[in-house]
Amino acid sequence: MWSSLKGWLWEWRGVLVAGPSAATIIILLRLIGALQPLEWGALDQFLRWRPTESTDDRIVVVGIDETDINRLEQWPASDRELAKLLELVRAQEPAAIGLDVVRDRPMQPGHDRLIEVFKSTPNLVGGGKTSYGVAPGEAILGNEAIAPPPVLAELEQAAPVNLVQDSDGTVRRGLVAIQVNDQGDSEVSFSLYLAALYFEANQIPYVDTLDAIMPFSSNFGGYAVADNSGKQFLLDYRRSDPSFTIVSMFDVLDQKIDPELMRNRVVLIGVTAASEKDYFITPLDRSIWGDFGETSGVEIHAHMVSYFLSYVADGRMGIRVWSEPIEWLWILGWAIAGSIISWKWRHAGGKGKETQSRVNFIYLFIQTISTLGLVGLLIGLSYGAFLAGWWIPVVPPLIATTVSVALIVGYIAQSAAEIRTQFGRYLSDDVVASLLETPEGLKLGGQRREVTVMMCDLRGFSSISERLDPEQVVQILNIFLGTMAEVIVKYRGTIDEFIGDAILAIFGAPILGENDAERAVACAVEMQLKMTEVNQRITALGLPKIEMGIGLNTGVVVVGNIGSTTRAKYGIVGSNVNLTARIESYTVGGQILISEPTYKAVDSCEISGSLQVEPKGVTEPITIYDVSGVSKYDLQLAGSEFELLPIAKDVIVEYKVLQDKHLGNDVFEGRVMRLSPNGAEIITDEELTPMTNIRLLPPLGVDQPQADTGFYAKVLDRPTEPHNGDRTIYIHFTTIPPEAEVWLLNLYDEAQKVKA
């Protein structure tokens, strides 16, 4: 079960990381208010998208417009004109009259008449402004307070007309009540007072219903740490054109209106003239392109009155929100949904013959369409919920979805970059580009092409690895292969594959160059020179030194993507690949052997000798050349042979011949005549041709070790000193076990002492 769980966790690792991470980031940003303007914008847009409603005929607005101001004898209007207006309105028997003309001093003439009207109109409410209970910058007029008409205040027919603006200047909230002192006392708002008069006039119970209005909290919906003093609510604006019946002051004074227009209605009187600057921005005045209008203060109060009337009388629930934990789960759900879609489509277009660019395009196209579909679904669900009276988060889940998708895409891009980087460890940048970006780069199939093939192999590494722990073997291989791969890439070679401790590389494919063979030989020389660095790193770990042989051959091969549509590799096939391996098998540690076609293709190649050999599978002998340097690249192999010294004692060795890597049964003897730490001259009766591999058996003699210290050597075609006409051969040690190395060094030290 744990194994299955681990597999599931790994399979969905991207989703499990990206989704919660994106949600956490967005929730934190939301809590500090970073997303507040965007969420306000979404709310405003939903309000504007809402279907048009009917005009609320329970409300009439008497607006004092520019024409009215121009016709008045003075401005502000005299108490006489205001009293006359109120008398005409009262005569139509409205349910409530709201005077949103804040004035706390007489405006003669006609003040006594106005006072009489105030006293004789019990359903009249006058407006005033308080500076208490609303944070600076959120209340209209800041901290400035204006008292209502004194008579109405004494009659307790006054209420605050404060409007609450958000930090972007938009009025989205209304007031049920506003705090007026430090003791926590509050007064009902102007709009609620008028609504209550309407309910009482029509005998509609309202107290319990109004108590159920969802109160505004500091983190209400998309708000973050907002001032929620008093009792506020989110204003559900009525979207209709017009929202209310609006008449001008002189329409009433000139008695041009229907005598029944205001009967049993709420009448609000206020200034609508633009010159008086009693205008504010509402959600209905905003668009994604900016503000395109403003609404007068008296009309905003009319919207608030309409909100209360509709809430109580029509059952309109207003705008509600979820609790914060549910909103967080909603955001998390969409973040996970976005990451799931992105994660599931990450392999889109990843099979077949498409180039990497096309694969990326397909993935991004599908990802874009899927993300847009998810975004459309989110907006659709959120808008549907809004029509049902719920303001649920839309911007946070939208951003969380986008962030989660971006995290997945980023992870995939990083993985692709890492793959490209890993690919680039074995191929040069232009080769990687050819494979990943060109139409032919990943196409299955092959083509005939002349290339230079390189095969390098560690000499005697199988014997070394038998004496080491697997972890130590891996350490050696990682150091060796990593260093050699860097050199091959430097010379624009293509690593076909690692074969244990061997490397097969190509020069001339997939990118064909003018000097592929020359670069290949120069690369081989630098690789041999790098072995000094490799051995320094290996011996620092307490591990034995290693040696490498390199073979190169130039010829026609078939090169391309080999395999199937589900799994393929870039590689080469052909007899010239096999011939390269044969040539490499003739090398000893530190040696580079090249074929004749390679030698002829490299004018600057320096050699120290040549040899004719008959590799298996080749009908005629071929000539191979021992490379010592490449003058054009100023590369030269350092001599690694020690001086052969005669030994005083009679040392007999036994050996067996290896044929095709199989050890023969016959045992032959040889006498060591001259010796160095890496080779020896021996006299033997057996005729051994150059390049023959032998295994030396435990040496015989009193001073020789008793353990099985057999080691390997290769017969080389090098001059030897004659010894009374006996057959003398030179052997180069290819694998020297530690015990045999001690024995050899002791013999060599003795020979050096004799010479001295």
Side-chain angles (χ1 to χ4, degrees):
M1 180 178 178
W2 171 241
S3 177
S4 299
L5 178 60
K6 285 176 63 179
W8 183 87
L9 291 174
W10 175 252
E11 180 183 357
W12 293 99
R13 63 193 182 281
V15 174
L16 296 175
V17 173
S21 298
T24 301
I25 293 171
I26 299 308
I27 290 172
L28 290 176
L29 289 175
R30 190 172 193 249
L31 289 175
I32 64 175
L35 305 182
Q36 188 170 246
L38 296 175
E39 296 200 72
W40 288 344
L43 172 65
D44 298 346
Q45 189 62 54
F46 280 177
L47 281 167
R48 289 191 299 274
W49 281 350
R50 195 161 56 182
T52 302
E53 304 173 73
S54 60
T55 299
D56 192 341
D57 58 6
R58 295 168 296 192
I59 299 172
V60 177
V61 175
V62 178
I64 305 174
D65 57 22
E66 297 290 353
T67 302
D68 294 332
I69 291 175
N70 291 332
R71 288 185 60 182
L72 289 170
E73 296 177 358
Q74 66 183 63
W75 184 255
S78 67
D79 289 348
R80 181 181 60 195
E81 296 291 346
L82 189 56
K84 182 179 178 181
L85 176 64
L86 290 172
E87 288 172 342
L88 290 172
V89 171
R90 183 179 61 185
Q92 292 203 8
E93 299 181 357
I97 304 172
L99 183 60
D100 185 21
V101 179
V102 181
R103 57 202 301 169
D104 56 356
R105 60 178 62 90
M107 292 290 177
Q108 299 292 356
H111 183 62
D112 292 340
R113 181 180 176 184
L114 180 61
I115 291 177
E116 181 60 30
V117 172
F118 284 165
K119 291 181 178 180
S120 60
T121 311
N123 61 345
L124 172 64
V125 180
K129 290 180 180 176
T130 178
S131 62
Y132 193 92
V134 181
E138 291 195 341
I140 293 175
L141 300 182
N143 293 323
E144 182 181 355
I146 304 177
V151 174
L152 292 178
E154 292 174 4
L155 295 171
E156 296 184 350
Q157 292 176 223
V161 294
N162 292 67
L163 297 178
V164 181
Q165 289 176 291
D166 292 326
S167 58
D168 63 349
T170 304
V171 179
R172 298 185 180 89
R173 291 175 274 167
L175 289 166
V176 174
I178 185 168
Q179 189 175 339
V180 294
N181 56 40
D182 291 330
Q183 286 70 43
D185 296 332
S186 61
E187 294 181 3
V188 296
S189 67
F190 179 71
S191 55
L192 178 57
Y193 200 145
L194 293 174
L197 290 173
Y198 178 88
F199 295 139
E200 291 172 358
N202 290 275
Q203 298 182 349
I204 299 174
Y206 65 92
V207 176
D208 293 339
T209 306
L210 288 177
D211 285 341
I213 291 177
M214 179 172 281
F216 180 87
S217 60
S218 60
N219 288 337
F220 188 90
Y223 283 84
V225 199
D227 169 59
N228 63 333
S229 57
K231 185 175 182 181
Q232 304 177 29
F233 63 94
L234 190 65
L235 180 53
D236 186 9
Y237 281 89
R238 190 175 196 89
R239 187 179 182 277
S240 53
D241 189 18
S243 299
F244 320 101
T245 301
I246 301 177
V247 297
S248 70
M249 177 181 181
F250 272 93
D251 285 340
V252 178
L253 293 176
D254 295 340
Q255 300 185 36
K256 294 180 179 180
I257 62 174
D258 185 338
E260 298 294 320
L261 176 64
M262 300 178 184
R263 186 175 302 279
N264 198 35
R265 288 171 171 78
V266 177
V267 179
L268 291 98
I269 303 171
V271 178
T272 58
S275 60
E276 292 304 300
K277 299 181 180 179
D278 189 26
Y279 273 79
F280 308 94
I281 299 172
T282 72
L284 300 180
D285 300 322
R286 283 188 173 276
S287 75
I288 57 176
W289 312 114
D291 303 335
F292 54 83
E294 292 180 319
T295 302
S296 65
V298 67
E299 290 180 82
I300 295 176
H301 283 294
H303 276 284
M304 294 182 190
V305 174
S306 178
Y307 173 86
F308 291 125
L309 298 184
S310 299
Y311 190 90
V312 174
D314 302 338
R316 180 170 174 164
M317 298 305 296
I319 300 175
R320 294 158 290 169
V321 297
W322 287 336
S323 64
E324 281 192 294
I326 295 178
E327 290 182 335
W328 295 344
L329 290 175
W330 172 256
I331 295 170
L332 174 62
W334 284 99
I336 291 176
S339 59
I340 287 175
I341 289 178
S342 184
W343 187 253
K344 287 293 289 183
W345 283 111
R346 70 189 188 279
H347 296 309
K351 297 181 180 180
K353 301 180 180 179
E354 293 86 353
T355 66
Q356 188 64 36
S357 296
R358 180 172 175 80
V359 168
N360 292 339
F361 173 78
I362 293 173
Y363 169 71
L364 291 176
F365 177 77
I366 294 177
Q367 180 62 68
T368 301
I369 295 299
S370 301
T371 303
L372 290 176
L374 197 64
V375 168
L377 178 62
L378 168 61
I379 294 175
L381 290 175
S382 300
Y383 179 63
F386 185 77
L387 293 179
W390 291 95
W391 179 27
I392 63 177
V394 58
V395 172
L398 176 62
I399 299 177
T401 300
T402 305
V403 171
S404 66
V405 169
L407 289 174
I408 294 293
V409 172
Y411 172 80
I412 294 171
Q414 181 184 11
S415 299
E418 290 176 355
I419 292 172
R420 191 181 184 108
T421 300
Q422 293 297 323
F423 207 7
R425 292 175 61 188
Y426 315 117
L427 304 173
S428 60
D429 291 341
D430 53 356
V431 172
V432 173
S434 173
L435 291 176
L436 298 182
E437 306 300 340
T438 62
E440 297 80 12
L442 297 177
K443 183 179 179 181
L444 286 176
Q447 56 180 309
R448 292 174 60 84
R449 181 178 294 185
E450 183 175 271
V451 299
T452 297
V453 184
M454 172 193 288
M455 173 74 81
C456 67
D457 187 21
L458 292 180
R459 313 316 298 165
F461 189 70
S462 297
S463 177
I464 294 175
S465 62
E466 289 175 358
R467 304 193 306 271
L468 300 176
D469 293 332
E471 293 80 6
Q472 293 175 312
V473 173
V474 171
Q475 279 184 301
I476 293 176
L477 286 177
N478 285 342
I479 294 173
F480 165 69
L481 296 175
T483 304
M484 296 303 111
E486 290 177 0
V487 179
I488 293 172
V489 171
K490 174 183 175 181
Y491 285 88
R492 297 174 58 193
T494 301
I495 297 177
D496 180 69
E497 60 181 324
F498 292 142
I499 312 169
D501 59 337
I503 302 175
L504 177 62
I506 320 163
F507 292 81
I511 304 299
L512 181 64
E514 296 181 356
N515 56 347
D516 294 319
E518 187 174 55
R519 281 188 288 104
V521 176
C523 177
V525 175
E526 184 163 332
M527 288 169 66
Q528 288 291 14
L529 295 175
K530 281 285 186 178
M531 286 301 294
T532 301
E533 175 188 323
V534 169
N535 279 316
Q536 288 175 348
R537 294 173 61 187
I538 290 175
T539 54
L541 298 174
L543 301 173
K545 291 183 179 181
I546 55 176
E547 290 185 314
M548 172 182 64
I550 303 176
L552 295 102
N553 175 42
T554 301
V556 176
V557 298
V558 176
V559 59
N561 292 306
I562 303 169
S564 67
T565 56
T566 56
R567 185 171 297 276
K569 60 160 287 188
Y570 188 82
I572 55 173
V573 293
S575 60
N576 279 301
V577 180
N578 300 330
L579 180 57
T580 305
R582 299 295 182 189
I583 294 173
E584 187 276 329
S585 68
Y586 293 130
T587 63
V588 295
Q591 190 176 33
I592 302 171
L593 295 178
I594 63 175
S595 67
E596 188 168 5
T598 303
Y599 176 66
K600 290 181 177 180
V602 184
D603 295 335
S604 60
C605 182
E606 300 176 0
I607 62 172
S608 59
S610 63
L611 179 69
Q612 276 204 334
V613 294
E614 294 186 35
K616 183 179 179 181
V618 178
T619 57
E620 296 181 359
I622 64 170
T623 302
I624 56 177
Y625 298 84
D626 192 347
V627 176
S628 60
V630 181
S631 59
K632 181 178 179 180
Y633 287 82
D634 195 23
L635 293 171
Q636 194 73 32
L637 289 179
S640 59
E641 293 294 332
F642 291 87
E643 180 184 6
L644 287 167
L645 298 178
I647 57 176
K649 61 176 62 178
D650 193 18
V651 177
I652 303 297
V653 294
E654 293 181 337
Y655 64 89
K656 291 183 178 182
V657 178
L658 276 80
Q659 297 177 345
D660 293 331
K661 296 187 178 182
H662 296 288
L663 193 63
N665 295 322
D666 296 334
V667 178
F668 305 97
E669 283 190 1
R671 177 180 289 107
V672 179
M673 304 305 297
R674 293 198 300 165
L675 182 70
S676 76
N678 56 12
E681 283 184 3
I682 64 173
I683 296 175
T684 180
D685 294 334
E686 183 68 15
E687 184 176 353
L688 298 176
T689 59
M691 300 301 169
T692 300
N693 292 304
I694 63 174
R695 182 187 182 211
L696 299 169
L697 301 177
L700 304 175
V702 177
D703 298 328
Q704 296 157 12
Q706 301 301 315
D708 182 0
T709 56
F711 53 92
Y712 294 88
K714 183 186 291 288
V715 179
L716 298 183
D717 185 16
R718 293 190 180 178
T720 58
E721 291 187 357
H723 294 281
N724 301 322
D726 294 327
R727 180 181 289 111
T728 306
I729 61 172
Y730 174 78
I731 60 174
H732 181 92
F733 303 135
T734 56
T735 302
I736 309 176
E739 299 86 351
E741 186 175 18
V742 173
W743 174 72
L744 279 174
L745 292 177
N746 287 336
L747 284 178
Y748 192 68
D749 287 343
E750 292 177 6
Q752 285 182 315
K753 292 176 182 178
V754 171
K755 180 182 178 182

